[in-house]
Amino acid sequence: MSIALLVALFLLNSDRIQKAIEICSECLILLTCTDQNSKDHFDSALLQFYSDIYTILFSAYHHISDYISAERYGRKLALAITTKIGDRSGEASCYGNLGTVFVSLGQYDKAEEYLQKALVITTEIGDRQNEASCYGNLGTVFKSIGQYDKAEEYLQKALVITTEIGDRKGDATNYGNLGTLFRSLGQYDKAEEYLQKALVITTEIGDREGEASCYGNLGTVFRSLGQYDKAEEYLQKALVITTEIGDRQNEASCYGNLGTVFESLGQYDKAEEYLQKALVIKTEIGDRKGEATNYGNLGTLFRSLGLYDKAEEYLQKALVITTEIGDRQEEASCYGNLGTVFESLGQYDKAEEYFQKALVIKTEIGDRKGEATNYGNLGTVFTSLGQYDKAEEYLQKALIITTEIGDRQKEASCYGNLGTVFLFVDQYDKAEEYFQKALVITTEIGDREGEATNYGNLGTVFRTVGDFEASEVCLEKALFIFRDIGDGRKEFEILRSYAVLYLYQYKIKDSLSCLHLCIEKYEELRYFLGANDQFKTSFLEHTGIFPYKLLCTLLCDTGNARDAIYVEELGRARGLSDLMAEKYSVETHISANPQSWFGIENILRKKNNCTCLYISYFQNRLHLWILKTSGVLHYRRVSPEENLVQAGLPKDLSVSQFLDDNFRSLGILPTKDCEDRSLNTIKLQLLSPAQKSSARLRLLEEDEAEDEDEKVISSLYLCYKMFIAPVYDLLDEPEVIIVPDRRLYKVPFAALSEREGAEYLSETHKIRIIPSLTTLKNIQDSPEDYHSDTGALVIGNPKVNWLQPLPAARREAEMVGRLVGVPPLVEEKATKQAVLEQIRSVSLIHFAAHGNAERGEIALSPIPTPNSQNAIPPKEAYMLTMADVSRVKVRAKLVVLSCCHSGSGEIRAEGVIGIARAFLGSGARSVLVALWAIPDSATEKLMSRFYEHLIEGESASESLHQAMKWMRKNGLNQISEWASFTLIGDDVVLEFDKQR
């Protein structure tokens, strides 16, 4: 037994926690059997064994953050063992350990109760060292519930005792605890002073673990001060030591803290790398609390980048763990962080719900600082909802608490948020007063980031009231600080504010200069995102698009439309261009430096008989460029007000809102003869035979659908007048290549006409879409032997038992297979494995299957296993995702996505984020997509005509043009029947003779 316990202790100390728990559990079983037959003279020995086992189990469960189990064994140790054998020192130790468990559980009243019991015993028996520990732990409890004065009092008592008894390690611990207390209070000078004292002692006594802890805590102080270089330096020192001494727990903490520093510096790719390293270690050593913390940190990182789905996923993981281990403090933090995600998404009701949950827990456990934080969060939600009285009420509650507990940093934050409320209700004097109060505090406590933020807010107030000189002074101070502390993202925001300020004063030249600096800074920040495509697209959407659009508009207004199109290119499909460049091993030379703005007029020189129409809109301004194959560039500015008024719409309606309002119904399924190939409305559940043969899902009643059709058709006339008519005289070549802007991807340009009965644009022109001129150049520059000349992969109606079967999709695939001369993969043969095996080598890929445009997924057949007949396998077993496509090199010249609205997706500044983009980014030269579902018979006929022309050697653009033309002439003349399909990318010719 003794040997077993020694082994368990060794395993515990070497982070093999589960093994230690297993050995102790086996010892308990053995002891239980022995205990039943024991005699009285063995009782004391058995009790000692029980004590030792419970001690190891308590430590093990505490180590892996299983606080509920830790509490159970701690109670057994304290009540069943130490009281019986009369070990008062051990009893005090047990009470102390239970106190720390209750701290972790957020049960602060209970924590204080048990620590006070321990304190009484240690005082009575004269154990001064542990008496000091009790004072220190009680100080931590009071700090956790925002009773900072009491916390300092108890920590100072602990320090006095350790100093008197010559316990230098205890001195260092107490200096360190006082340092972290002062950091919480925003007293950073004092925090640094005490942590430096702790560092000196730990270094002198050779306590490397304590030394690393001091470096780490000092790093977090410098991060709070905005001294990010110094923060990184100290955290790296801590990391070196923890790695050398094998302290994996604190090694992970160092990675996590460094991750937050890199996030503050805008180095998001590096931030994720370090946070993931921390998560791996915490998971490996079984530290569930640490695991939850890192899921939470990654969640906040993804939120700051606008990756809200991913943020919610990680924060929900953190919430599950904190709930399971009973950590109420962190559970509340997870609810709060989820609330901020929903707030960012504009889901204010849900945000309020989660903040209220967090508030309830923080109030119940007595965490006044957390209570104030959530009052503040609720205040910002009510601000966003326009409920300003309620916002002020909640922010005032937060302010009262932060003032009472002495949390000066949070107090400043409350003043700042109240200033924002007053700004929104046009109480500018009060807004200035509160921002000034926030500024005074942040300056006094040395919070440089907060100081700069308040200067920026004051700059906004002064600009709004017309005091431009004062506004510029404040922005100058904010810019200086943000540059000094290396906060590139905030520097970018201040430069953007400068541009707007100068625009208010009609200083166009100065505004242009600031916008150039702004996009240079954005490009620098974008570089730090590395190869992460998700980060790039989200960062552009939530941070970068405004200065690009404003700079483009100002350049056009000042007669420099040529440079403006380069600025537009910097904001168009940049992530896709990077993906293409990586796949093709080519370089893109466009940058924020105007010296690189040349050669765009040469991109079309390699093309024949085509004209490029480049469209940009910003608020209610519309910019159109025409690029000729000769290199000539034309620009025309359009004011849509007159057309909007003629259509009975408000003249100040933005182009973006018009497109949103009038093309929302594109994607609604027609009510007859059309199987639903979308995944958007399908719940994953096995279907009965009756369900499989039932009528198709429909999303609108017929009379509603007719109204929507009329609305869309009238909108198409208006689109023609705004986007085509102003430049129609320049569209004198047979093909038009269109570069659409954001929501214009929803517009079926083939169906545009001036009025009812007039010719459609596609009657006189072939039409093709490209995401940007740079992406077209990447395709043109791809190696000659990159794309396959032969081979076809045709997929139809993959068998997925829990989805509606698609018999028309099977017929379509069989028809395409016959025309191109390959057997299609249909039903159970259309597995994900089979598709991925062939997708890399063929020249043509055709999908007729269920697809989800928003998530960019195509459902394929899962490989059946003996136990999977009635079970839905994990999605990765059958769902072809954008990530799957991105990981392979697609060498197809043409990919046809005959899925419902496969051309749709999430519309971002980057373009449409969907499966079509994934194929282009993976190397496909062109993609044919559907903007909406069309009747099955119409799909079959259009595809038949398209492939007939394609196999005769005509290009994809010409083949689509002829197929649409045939449809209109043969009774299928409704726009919904013939205009859905759009070709994106290059125009290609397939060489079927080589494979037939």
Side-chain angles (χ1 to χ4, degrees):
M1 183 74 73
S2 299
I3 295 172
L5 291 177
L6 286 172
V7 171
L9 191 60
F10 171 76
L11 291 168
L12 174 65
N13 292 329
S14 56
D15 281 336
R16 286 174 281 184
I17 312 300
Q18 290 300 334
K19 283 286 183 188
I21 291 171
E22 287 172 18
I23 289 174
C24 286
S25 299
E26 289 174 8
C27 288
L28 272 180
I29 294 169
L30 183 60
L31 268 183
T32 303
C33 296
T34 305
D35 196 22
Q36 291 171 355
N37 302 310
S38 67
K39 299 191 183 289
D40 289 345
H41 64 277
F42 286 122
D43 283 354
S44 60
L46 288 172
L47 284 172
Q48 190 60 54
F49 277 129
Y50 274 118
S51 176
D52 293 342
I53 292 169
Y54 288 148
T55 300
I56 294 172
L57 284 168
F58 170 83
S59 299
Y61 284 118
H62 191 273
H63 188 83
I64 63 173
S65 308
D66 185 349
Y67 302 120
I68 295 169
S69 296
E71 181 197 349
R72 184 169 74 250
Y73 285 103
R75 283 183 181 278
K76 286 184 177 183
L77 185 59
L79 304 176
I81 306 299
T82 54
T83 51
K84 288 183 181 178
I85 62 178
D87 179 5
R88 297 211 75 205
S89 176
E91 185 181 354
S93 178
C94 289
Y95 285 135
N97 288 335
L98 279 165
T100 60
V101 168
F102 289 126
V103 169
S104 298
L105 288 167
Q107 299 179 27
Y108 298 114
D109 289 346
K110 234 167 183 177
E112 183 182 354
E113 175 194 339
Y114 275 80
L115 289 168
Q116 289 288 5
K117 285 181 179 180
L119 179 60
V120 168
I121 296 172
T122 54
T123 306
E124 287 177 356
I125 65 177
D127 182 354
R128 300 210 74 205
Q129 188 168 31
N130 283 314
E131 181 186 353
S133 295
C134 291
Y135 278 123
N137 288 331
L138 281 162
T140 303
V141 171
F142 296 131
K143 173 175 168 282
S144 298
I145 59 178
Q147 296 184 25
Y148 296 120
D149 289 345
K150 210 164 181 181
E152 183 179 357
E153 175 194 340
Y154 274 68
L155 290 170
Q156 289 288 5
K157 284 181 178 180
L159 180 60
V160 167
I161 295 172
T162 54
T163 304
E164 286 177 356
I165 65 177
D167 178 5
R168 298 206 74 207
K169 184 171 183 178
D171 282 347
T173 299
N174 289 301
Y175 278 126
N177 287 336
L178 283 160
T180 58
L181 170 67
F182 294 132
R183 189 190 74 212
S184 297
L185 287 165
Q187 299 177 26
Y188 299 118
D189 290 346
K190 215 165 178 181
E192 184 181 354
E193 175 194 340
Y194 275 72
L195 288 168
Q196 288 287 5
K197 286 180 178 179
L199 179 60
V200 168
I201 296 171
T202 54
T203 306
E204 287 177 356
I205 66 176
D207 177 8
R208 299 210 76 205
E209 185 177 353
E211 183 184 354
S213 177
C214 293
Y215 279 126
N217 287 328
L218 281 161
T220 59
V221 169
F222 295 131
R223 178 169 62 84
S224 299
L225 286 166
Q227 298 178 25
Y228 300 121
D229 289 346
K230 212 165 181 181
E232 183 182 354
E233 175 195 341
Y234 275 71
L235 288 167
Q236 289 287 5
K237 286 180 178 179
L239 179 61
V240 168
I241 295 172
T242 54
T243 306
E244 286 177 356
I245 66 177
D247 181 359
R248 300 204 76 207
Q249 181 87 274
N250 286 312
E251 181 188 352
S253 296
C254 292
Y255 279 124
N257 287 329
L258 280 162
T260 58
V261 169
F262 294 131
E263 182 181 353
S264 299
L265 286 166
Q267 299 178 25
Y268 298 112
D269 208 32
K270 208 166 181 181
E272 185 187 9
E273 176 194 342
Y274 275 69
L275 290 170
Q276 289 286 5
K277 283 181 178 179
L279 178 60
V280 167
I281 295 173
K282 293 289 188 181
T283 305
E284 285 178 356
I285 65 177
D287 178 3
R288 299 206 74 208
K289 181 185 175 102
E291 187 182 348
T293 298
N294 285 290
Y295 276 128
N297 288 339
L298 282 161
T300 57
L301 170 66
F302 296 136
R303 177 179 60 82
S304 67
L305 283 163
L307 297 168
Y308 300 120
D309 288 349
K310 211 165 180 183
E312 183 182 357
E313 175 195 341
Y314 276 69
L315 289 168
Q316 289 288 3
K317 285 180 179 178
L319 179 61
V320 167
I321 295 172
T322 54
T323 306
E324 286 177 356
I325 66 177
D327 185 347
R328 300 204 76 208
Q329 179 83 275
E330 291 304 316
E331 181 187 353
S333 296
C334 291
Y335 280 126
N337 288 330
L338 281 162
T340 58
V341 170
F342 297 129
E343 183 181 7
S344 300
L345 286 166
Q347 299 178 19
Y348 299 118
D349 290 345
K350 211 164 181 182
E352 182 183 353
E353 174 194 342
Y354 276 71
F355 286 140
Q356 289 286 7
K357 285 180 178 179
L359 178 61
V360 166
I361 296 174
K362 294 289 189 181
T363 306
E364 285 178 356
I365 65 179
D367 178 3
R368 298 205 75 208
K369 181 173 182 175
E371 187 181 347
T373 297
N374 285 289
Y375 277 127
N377 288 337
L378 284 161
T380 60
V381 168
F382 295 131
T383 302
S384 299
L385 287 167
Q387 300 176 23
Y388 300 117
D389 288 345
K390 210 166 181 180
E392 184 181 354
E393 174 195 342
Y394 276 73
L395 289 168
Q396 289 288 3
K397 285 181 179 179
L399 180 60
I400 288 168
I401 296 172
T402 54
T403 306
E404 286 177 356
I405 66 177
D407 185 348
R408 301 208 74 206
Q409 190 170 35
K410 290 289 182 185
E411 183 185 351
S413 179
C414 291
Y415 280 124
N417 288 332
L418 280 161
T420 302
V421 171
F422 296 130
L423 184 62
F424 278 128
V425 295
D426 300 335
Q427 295 183 30
Y428 302 119
D429 289 345
K430 217 163 181 182
E432 181 188 348
E433 175 194 343
Y434 275 71
F435 286 139
Q436 289 285 8
K437 286 181 177 179
L439 177 62
V440 167
I441 295 172
T442 52
T443 306
E444 286 178 357
I445 66 176
D447 177 5
R448 300 200 74 209
E449 182 183 357
E451 182 184 353
T453 298
N454 286 299
Y455 275 125
N457 288 335
L458 283 163
T460 302
V461 173
F462 292 132
R463 186 192 73 211
T464 306
V465 299
D467 190 346
F468 301 131
E469 187 177 343
S471 178
E472 188 166 353
V473 168
C474 288
L475 292 178
E476 184 179 356
K477 289 179 178 178
L479 184 62
F480 174 81
I481 295 172
F482 283 133
R483 281 178 170 166
D484 193 44
I485 67 178
D487 191 334
R489 187 163 182 170
K490 292 292 178 63
E491 180 187 343
F492 167 83
E493 290 172 5
I494 295 298
L495 287 168
R496 188 173 60 190
S497 295
Y498 258 115
V500 174
L501 172 64
Y502 289 136
L503 201 56
Y504 267 62
Q505 302 173 76
Y506 302 101
K507 295 180 178 178
I508 305 301
K509 189 175 179 181
D510 290 334
S511 186
L512 283 168
S513 297
C514 283
L515 287 168
H516 277 289
L517 289 173
C518 202
I519 65 170
E520 281 177 19
K521 177 53 64 175
Y522 174 81
E523 293 297 313
E524 181 185 315
L525 292 170
R526 188 178 184 277
Y527 172 79
F528 286 122
L529 300 178
N532 194 312
D533 181 54
Q534 271 194 316
F535 282 12
K536 289 175 185 176
T537 54
S538 288
F539 192 57
L540 175 65
E541 184 71 18
H542 297 279
T543 303
I545 192 63
F546 175 80
Y548 285 111
K549 289 295 182 184
L550 181 57
L551 179 56
C552 170
T553 298
L554 290 183
L555 287 169
C556 288
D557 288 350
T558 53
N560 202 345
R562 181 189 170 279
D563 281 358
I565 200 170
Y566 284 96
V567 173
E568 275 294 320
E569 278 290 292
L570 284 170
R572 295 282 182 98
R574 288 288 300 286
L576 175 58
S577 177
D578 288 346
L579 292 172
M580 286 179 160
E582 189 270 327
K583 282 290 189 292
Y584 294 145
S585 299
V586 298
E587 291 186 14
T588 54
H589 299 286
I590 190 167
S591 73
N593 182 0
Q595 299 299 316
S596 71
W597 296 355
F598 62 87
I600 207 166
E601 62 276 2
N602 296 322
I603 293 175
L604 247 61
R605 289 187 189 275
K606 296 181 181 180
K607 298 293 176 185
N608 296 315
N609 304 319
C610 66
T611 302
C612 177
L613 167 58
Y614 200 111
I615 309 174
S616 171
Y617 63 83
F618 178 54
Q619 295 173 351
N620 60 348
R621 298 189 180 199
L622 187 57
H623 307 287
L624 306 177
W625 291 266
I626 293 292
L627 181 60
K628 298 285 191 175
T629 53
S630 62
V632 174
L633 182 67
H634 301 272
Y635 166 75
R636 288 182 182 172
R637 175 180 166 180
V638 178
S639 296
E641 290 91 341
E642 184 180 342
N643 288 319
L644 291 168
V645 171
Q646 287 177 357
L649 297 170
K651 71 174 184 178
D652 58 348
L653 182 69
S654 69
V655 175
S656 176
Q657 194 60 55
F658 160 71
L659 294 170
D660 264 354
D661 292 345
N662 291 277
F663 289 92
R664 202 179 303 267
S665 63
L666 288 178
I668 299 301
L669 298 176
T671 56
K672 297 175 183 177
D673 185 32
C674 174
E675 58 192 15
D676 182 5
R677 298 186 189 180
S678 77
L679 287 170
N680 297 0
T681 58
I682 294 173
K683 293 181 180 178
L684 292 185
Q685 56 186 16
L686 291 169
L687 301 178
S688 66
Q691 287 173 309
K692 290 182 180 179
S693 61
S694 66
R696 308 282 187 244
L697 295 172
R698 299 293 169 231
L699 304 182
L700 285 180
E701 297 296 330
E702 288 193 19
D703 55 342
E704 291 175 331
E706 288 176 9
D707 291 341
E708 288 295 328
D709 287 346
E710 289 179 13
K711 184 178 179 182
V712 170
I713 289 169
S714 64
S715 299
L716 293 175
Y717 301 148
L718 185 52
C719 282
Y720 182 92
K721 291 175 182 177
M722 288 195 293
F723 306 125
I724 303 300
V727 292
Y728 189 81
D729 60 307
L730 298 171
L731 304 179
D732 49 9
E733 298 290 347
E735 184 177 34
V736 181
I737 301 173
I738 299 173
V739 188
D741 188 6
R742 292 167 291 169
R743 289 166 179 81
L744 284 170
Y745 278 92
K746 293 175 74 77
V747 175
F749 285 93
L752 298 191
S753 65
E754 188 172 8
R755 61 186 178 279
E756 188 174 358
E759 283 186 325
Y760 294 112
L761 182 62
S762 57
E763 291 186 71
T764 54
H765 297 81
K766 295 180 289 182
I767 298 168
R768 179 159 48 98
I769 300 294
I770 55 171
S772 69
L773 288 168
T774 308
T775 55
L776 180 61
K777 186 175 188 301
N778 285 341
I779 295 171
Q780 291 174 352
D781 292 347
S782 64
E784 285 187 19
D785 60 351
Y786 182 91
H787 293 96
S788 298
D789 289 326
T790 61
L793 171 62
V794 182
I795 301 100
N797 187 29
K799 185 177 181 181
V800 188
N801 287 332
W802 50 94
L803 300 179
Q804 293 277 3
L806 304 171
R810 174 171 181 152
R811 291 194 300 273
E812 177 185 324
E814 289 171 340
M815 177 269 293
V816 172
R818 282 195 303 272
L819 288 171
V820 301
V822 299
L825 293 177
V826 297
E827 304 288 346
E828 63 276 354
K829 292 181 180 178
T831 64
K832 182 175 178 178
Q833 181 181 350
V835 169
L836 289 174
E837 283 175 1
Q838 298 184 49
I839 206 169
R840 306 164 189 265
S841 58
V842 294
S843 182
L844 168 70
I845 302 168
H846 182 107
F847 284 97
H850 282 292
N852 182 295
E854 294 299 323
R855 294 194 300 270
E857 297 172 341
I858 296 174
L860 299 172
S861 180
I863 298 174
T865 60
N867 299 320
S868 67
Q869 296 302 316
N870 295 309
I872 297 175
K875 285 178 70 173
E876 56 267 21
Y878 67 93
M879 198 72 80
L880 185 71
T881 65
M882 289 190 285
D884 293 323
V885 175
S886 299
R887 280 192 288 268
V888 300
K889 272 196 172 184
V890 176
R891 298 184 181 275
K893 290 183 176 178
L894 175 64
V895 177
V896 178
L897 298 173
S898 185
C899 312
C900 289
H901 28 81
S902 55
S904 299
E906 191 178 0
I907 295 177
R908 311 289 288 272
E910 162 75 17
V912 177
I913 309 299
I915 197 73
R917 177 181 182 272
F919 274 105
L920 287 169
S922 294
R925 203 170 180 98
S926 60
V927 183
L928 183 65
V929 298
L931 295 178
W932 62 84
I934 68 177
D936 299 332
S937 59
T939 303
E940 191 173 348
K941 288 172 182 172
L942 187 141
M943 283 295 160
S944 177
R945 301 291 89 74
F946 172 75
Y947 276 102
E948 283 173 3
H949 286 281
L950 201 63
I951 62 176
E952 291 301 321
E954 294 179 8
S955 72
S957 180
E958 178 66 26
S959 297
L960 181 61
H961 178 68
Q962 292 299 331
M964 288 181 172
K965 188 175 180 181
W966 183 93
M967 297 280 283
R968 289 192 298 267
K969 287 184 176 179
N970 287 273
L972 296 164
N973 52 6
Q974 296 294 316
I975 289 174
S976 61
E977 295 175 311
W978 62 266
S980 172
F981 281 92
T982 301
L983 185 65
I984 304 175
D986 199 14
D987 195 13
V988 296
V989 175
L990 300 185
E991 302 176 37
F992 288 101
D993 287 343
K994 293 184 179 181
Q995 64 190 46
R996 288 158 67 88

